Amino acid sequence: MSPLVSAVPLHVNGTGVSIPLKKRSSNRLDNTMAQHAHLVSKYENSFNIYRINTGKIHPLAGRRSMISSRANTSTEALTASKILWYGEITIGTPPVTFKVEFDTGSSDTWVPDSSCAACSGHSTYDPSSSSTSRDLGQDFDINYQDDTYATGQQYTDDITVAGLTATNQAFASASDVDSGLLDRASDGMMGMGWPSISQTGTPVFNTLVEQGVVSSGVFGFYLTDTDGSLFLGGTDASLYKGPLNWNPVLYQSSWYITVDDVNVGGQTVISSVDASVDSGTTLILGDAQSVAQFWSSIPGSQAAIQYGPGMYTYPCDSNPIVSVSIGSQTYTISSQHLKWLQVSDADCVGSVVATDDSIRHWVLGDAFMKNVYTAFDFDHSRVGFAQL
C-alpha cells in the first residue's frame, strides 16, 4: 500500500491548496462484484435520504429506491483504496488523524467510534477525549442494499482537511460498522455531494465555504492510474490546458449532468443520458439497455456475468476508440481505461458496466475521470471538464 501524504497543504497557489493522491492496488476481479453492489446501493440510499430531506422522490430514482430505508482554498492528499480515493483529515481537540474516502456520490462524513468492537486497526473517535466535541443526541444509520451498514451517533467537532478547519462540523461517529466497509485502507467517509442527500446536515466542504475558510465553493479532482490530487477552493490550472467546459447540474444531490453522446469509432451509439460524476467508483455504469447497445457496437464483445454483474468482454487487440460528448466538448476514454482487466490472451473485461433497474442513470467514475480534469462548483451549480 502506498504511504499517505500528510494532510497539511502540499501545493498552494493564489486560489487554493492541492493535496496529492495515491491509489492503492487491489485485485480487480475479486473486487468487481462488491464494488458494483455497493455503488448501486449507495445511490439507492442517497435517493431515500433525498426523499426524507426534501419530501420529493428523486427524478432518477428507480423502483427499489422508492421504498424507504433506514436510512480561503486548500488541497487534500488522497490515496485510492479498493474503491475510493482517500486522504487524511483530523477531528477534535487535540486532533486525531483519520483516513477518509472522498466521495462526490454521497454527502455525509462518518468515522469509527471508540466503542466500535469490530474497528480494530482503524483510527476511532472518542468524544470524551475532545474538548470541542458536542453530542447532537441524534442517531446516524446508513443501511445499504448490499447489506453493509454504519450506525452510531451524530456529533459536532472541529474537522481539518488540508490545513483548513470547519468548526462545529456535524458528522457521525459509528459504533457499529459492517466488515464490508471496514475491509478498506480508509477509516471512514467524507461525502462531497449536495446537502440534500446528507443525514448530518451541511457537508464539510460546504461548511468551509460558509465559514469563509475557502475563497470559493469549487473543488477539483486530478486522477491517474497511481496518484492524483484533490484541490479545495478552486482548481489547479497547472494540471489542465484550455478553459474548463462547464455544464449545469441537473439535480442538486449527487453531481448529475447531461451526457450528450457516447461514441464508438466516431459514431454516436447512445444519446442524451443523465449521468453522475462520481469519485466513489472506478467504473463507468449505465442502465442495462444502453450499455448493451454500447457493447453491441464493438465487434466481438459479449456479456460476461461470470466476472461480475453487468460485465462485458471484448477482444483486447481491437482497441475501440470510445469518447463521451458533454456540452461542446468530446472526451476520449483511453484504451487503458476502457480495459478493466484482461482475463485471457484474447479477452478483456470492459469498464463500462450495466446496472439493474434500481438506478436509471449513468455513473462516470474514475475510468472516465482519469481522462480529464474535473471541477465541481457549488457556487454556480455546475461541473467542469478540461483536457489534461
Side-chain angles (χ1 to χ4, degrees), residues 288 291-293 295 301-304 310-314 348-350 352-354:
V291 169
Q293 184 176 339
W295 284 112
S301 64
Q302 56 185 335
M311 306 298 284
Y312 285 77
T313 58
Y314 67 99
C348 286
V349 175
V352 179
V353 180

Side-chain angles (χ1 to χ4, degrees), residues 33-298:
M33 295 185 70
Q35 179 178 172
H36 184 281
H38 185 78
L39 182 102
V40 171
S41 65
K42 178 177 74 172
Y43 278 93
E44 291 175 339
N45 187 71
S46 72
F47 291 150
N48 287 321
I49 298 173
Y50 180 90
R51 185 179 65 172
I52 292 169
N53 287 346
T54 68
K56 302 175 182 178
I57 294 175
H58 195 285
L60 296 179
R63 175 169 47 84
R64 281 203 319 228
S65 303
M66 297 180 186
I67 305 172
S68 62
S69 72
R70 293 183 289 171
N72 211 357
T73 60
S74 182
T75 303
E76 170 67 12
L78 303 183
T79 301
S81 70
K82 288 183 177 178
I83 300 178
L84 304 180
W85 293 88
Y86 68 88
E88 289 183 345
I89 66 172
T90 65
I91 302 178
T93 308
V96 176
T97 299
F98 296 86
K99 292 176 287 186
V100 296
E101 299 169 345
F102 292 85
D103 180 18
T104 60
S106 65
S107 297
D108 287 305
T109 294
W110 65 266
V111 295
D113 190 82
S114 57
S115 65
C116 177
C119 297
S120 175
H122 290 270
S123 295
T124 59
Y125 177 72
D126 184 355
S128 66
S129 298
S130 174
S131 62
T132 46
S133 175
R134 182 167 68 91
D135 189 343
L136 293 178
Q138 299 180 39
D139 293 336
F140 176 80
D141 192 347
I142 286 184
N143 285 261
Y144 298 104
Q145 298 290 346
D146 63 351
D147 295 327
T148 58
Y149 58 86
T151 63
Q153 292 293 119
Q154 296 185 38
Y155 295 87
T156 62
D157 211 329
D158 294 345
I159 296 182
T160 299
V161 52
L164 307 175
T165 300
T167 59
N168 299 316
Q169 172 64 46
F171 70 102
S173 189
S175 55
D176 190 10
V177 183
D178 181 75
S179 60
L181 294 179
L182 290 172
D183 185 23
R184 302 181 182 181
S186 61
D187 302 309
M189 181 81 67
M190 179 176 285
M192 303 192 75
W194 292 78
S196 65
I197 56 172
S198 172
Q199 288 189 48
T200 56
T202 305
V204 173
F205 181 73
N206 301 75
T207 298
L208 293 173
V209 175
E210 292 178 2
Q211 295 179 352
V213 181
V214 292
S215 59
S216 74
V218 179
F219 61 92
F221 272 94
Y222 167 72
L223 306 177
T224 73
D225 288 331
T226 58
D227 55 21
S229 65
L230 168 63
F231 197 93
L232 303 177
T235 62
D236 187 345
S238 69
L239 296 174
Y240 59 90
K241 58 185 178 181
L244 284 156
N245 170 39
W246 291 106
N247 304 274
V249 166
L250 300 175
Y251 314 107
Q252 293 181 352
S253 47
S254 299
W255 293 88
Y256 292 101
I257 59 172
T258 296
V259 170
D260 297 309
D261 300 298
V262 179
N263 314 294
V264 176
Q267 301 297 313
T268 297
V269 295
I270 301 165
S271 294
S272 189
V273 294
D274 296 339
S276 65
V277 186
D278 189 348
S279 64
T281 180
T282 57
L283 298 167
I284 298 170
L285 293 99
D287 64 279
Q289 181 177 352
S290 61
V291 169
Q293 184 176 339
F294 167 83
W295 284 112
S296 68
S297 67
I298 299 177

Side-chain angles (χ1 to χ4, degrees), residues 332-367:
T332 298
I333 298 173
S334 70
S335 57
Q336 71 189 82
H337 298 136
L338 178 65
K339 180 174 70 174
W340 175 242
L341 72 161
Q342 188 162 344
V343 292
S344 71
D345 290 341
D347 294 324
C348 286
V349 175
S351 61
V352 179
V353 180
T355 64
D356 59 28
D357 66 352
S358 58
I359 59 174
R360 298 180 295 179
H361 63 278
W362 278 54
V363 180
L364 302 180
D366 71 6

